Amino acid sequence: MVKQVRIALRNCGRVNPESIEDYINARGYEALVTCLFDKKPADVINIITESGLRGRGGGGFPTGIKWKAAAAEVSDEKFIICNADEGDPGAFMDRAVLEGDTHSVLEAMTIAGYSVGADKGIIYIRAEYPLAIERIKKAIEISKEYGFLGKNILGTEFSFDIELKYGAGAFVCGEETALIASIEGKRGEPVVKPPYPAQKGLWGKPTIVNNVETFANICPIILNGKDWFRSIGTQKSPGTKVFALAGKINNVGLIEIPMGMTLRNVIDNIGGGIRDGKEFKAVQTGGPSGGCITRENLDTPIDYDNLLSIGSMMGSGGMIVMDEDDCMVNFAKFFLEFTIDESCGKCAPCRVGNKRLLELLEKVTNGQATEEIIPQIEQLCATIKKASLCGLGQTSPNPVLSTLRYFRNEYDEHIKDKKCRSKVCKALLKYEIVPDKCNGCTRCARSCPVQCISGKVKEVHTIDQKACIKCGVCYTNCKFNAIIVS
Amino acid sequence: MSEVTEYKKILPEELYRKLDSFVEDLGIDSKDPRKKGYLIQVLHKAQSLFGYLPEEVQKFVARKLGVCHSEVSGVISFYNFFTTLPKGKVNISICMGTACFVRGSEKVLKEFENFLHIKSGGVTSDGKFSLDVLRCVGACGLAPVVMVGDRVYGNVNPKMVGDIMTDCIKLANSMEENK
């Protein structure tokens, strides 16, 4: 059994995030000192590049290459942005790092600034994270007093300042160009790349956007070296990844595992198995842009490329475990509703396509679909993927495609047999009274909101299927388990 | 900016003064091409003062920052956090993040809707309670999560809704008394 390894979360819960002395005792700001006095900016970038660190926000783009691109630009001004707009519903590792190890993010941003020649850092954070905001403000103040931040850091020529900018609840702002638009006080709509932010970013200046967890990996790499980092994880995805384990699993919370661990290990050993002894169905990773991992792929080593090849993605690290009670069609619908809410509306494939896609899925869950609907769904998904402007649209059909790939039988049951095996899709349910168990207590008839249950006292009752609205009130109220759902 | 027509203000003048001094303290240079970068920050402040961002507040912010009203309105409509409608005195938010969804937050929302006789996004007729959904508060380990003001209720099931509402009613009443 492979154990958890803490790099990004190394200090969380171990050092007092409000005490800079505690942080310094845990080798805090040592990496910055090493960089400023012993290394040239290009050396730092080389270490990060050779370490193989990839962006932890989801895409997995090599961090060093991003830095190199921004360093190569000639400009009077450059920016380092920390993307702390954690929007993936079900993931909260960025909040944990910002609240639990605030200084490590500030230190890493300063190192990034030194490497690419930027003197300004911005943390773009969700307004919903008040504790993190408060701690960052305090940490910025105290690091300035200690000379780790501000003008002429530690007596050198290098100056770097960090300010906070607040998000206002828009998932698409996790996309770097949309995030930059939002900092500029505009609607957070993405723009076409290239030019990449590393060339033309905030206010048209070279800008690096990295995720919180990516920054949390920087200092340990500087301190322990690229070879140490490469010794953890897999060849193409070195290091660790933090996941937010949630859903129908016994141990919920944040975990940090070396890349390459199998999902089986995560669920059985770290997660302690499925809740209430139910049967495992799937794990969803990558949030609204990701897909499902099923029983057959439980032994696939987790890394960026493997997850992509099985139709999911790393994403920011949400890991939602589902059991037999979850309907996969309904689950795909849930993510699509999210995407529709969060689509910025700039390009038609995403704005209109996803809406139409949802309508098709609703037909499936309402029992109105015929067999031709599957090719229609597949075609629409392909169009949205191909024609959308940004990552949000390009990946939005993934939950549908992935559930279609692994749970085609559930779709077929909804379409052909008009049945939902997990008993989630209301329109397909049928409530019936078992004559042997019903003693005619009248409780169900009295509680039915549409009065569709008839029967005399102490006689068996019946449900009028045509009038039934499938609200389930009779089912919850019956004390004799005389009502069954099918 | 001399041509600007006067517009009606019905919200308390005192709050406008507070917003005004907040913007002044930012020290924005009116000729700075990057002054729009302050917009979202100012709107956050405005919403925390007024509770919502109706047209009169939008116009005030637009004029104060020297940007078009249409731009201010466009930004407000884009972001989920900003609202142009007043919320109830006590706002109840149901988390609809994936973890909460999988653990049954839909049923919890239904129960609240039934209890308050309003749909998600609505306000009760007496203006005391409003109900909305939000996307993940980052407390997925406690799923499903309900937030009442700053207070977080974890592992909520539909049966707990009555007890949570008892707290909400107490909270609303105490706010009433403090007034």
Side-chain angles (χ1 to χ4, degrees), chain A residues 116-131:
Chain A
V116 307
D119 60 1
K120 186 111 206 215
I122 293 167
I123 300 177
Y124 182 81
I125 188 168
R126 297 181 70 183
E128 288 95 331
Y129 286 174
L131 179 63

Side-chain angles (χ1 to χ4, degrees), chain B residues 88-151:
Chain B
K89 286 200 181 70
V90 175
N91 186 48
I92 302 157
S93 303
I94 319 295
C95 181
M96 278 285 174
T98 321
C100 290
F101 174 79
V102 169
R103 298 280 291 270
S105 60
E106 255 184 334
K107 286 179 188 150
V108 174
L109 174 64
K110 277 265 149 59
E111 196 65 28
F112 272 105
E113 288 181 339
N114 290 340
F115 196 104
L116 293 165
H117 300 290
I118 51 172
K119 288 273 163 208
S120 162
V123 185
T124 53
S125 53
D126 58 5
K128 272 190 185 164
F129 305 105
S130 53
L131 187 64
D132 60 16
V133 298
L134 41 82
R135 298 288 189 192
C136 201
V137 289
C140 309
L142 300 171
V145 172
V146 170
M147 274 186 85
V148 177
D150 292 335
R151 186 161 172 194

